[in-house]
Amino acid sequence: MAKPMTKTQLVTALAEEMGSDKKSASGALDSLISIITKEVSGGGAVTLPGVGKIYCRERPARMVRNPATGEQIHKPADKVVKMTIAKALKDSVNG
């Protein structure tokens, strides 16, 4: 499995793709991350065309087991960020 792309590598690739400098590419990436974070933390969802949909889902309270001791523990309700991958991306990876 290949190593994941770092933020620096992503900014460099984005700058090349945009035909601009790394500073403006970094600003664009930071702005995009900020927008997604605000929208998803507020309960909304963001669709990135060709990539997928990022959304927040609530998980109900439940009983979980501590794997070290086997003890049953009550875990309160919480929220988790999920991402559904777009069919176009799945097809390009498998095609």
Side-chain angles (χ1 to χ4, degrees):
M1 186 169 150
K3 290 174 62 175
M5 184 181 273
T6 64
K7 183 177 179 182
T8 305
Q9 292 169 331
L10 182 58
V11 166
T12 302
L14 186 59
E16 289 174 9
E17 192 71 27
M18 290 171 46
S20 66
D21 60 339
K22 290 181 184 178
K23 186 174 181 178
S24 62
S26 179
L29 181 61
D30 290 340
S31 297
L32 182 63
I33 291 169
S34 174
I35 291 167
I36 292 171
T37 302
K38 286 178 193 173
E39 186 65 26
V40 173
S41 65
V46 176
T47 300
L48 300 173
V51 177
K53 179 179 176 183
I54 303 170
Y55 58 97
C56 184
R57 184 176 77 82
E58 291 188 21
R59 288 197 296 193
R62 61 197 186 278
M63 295 298 290
V64 295
R65 186 179 67 84
N66 181 339
T69 64
E71 176 188 8
Q72 292 283 335
I73 304 169
H74 180 267
K75 185 164 194 242
D78 61 347
K79 295 179 181 179
V80 63
V81 176
K82 295 284 194 175
M83 181 167 184
T84 304
I85 305 302
K87 185 177 183 326
L89 182 57
K90 287 181 189 176
D91 291 345
S92 70
V93 170
N94 292 323

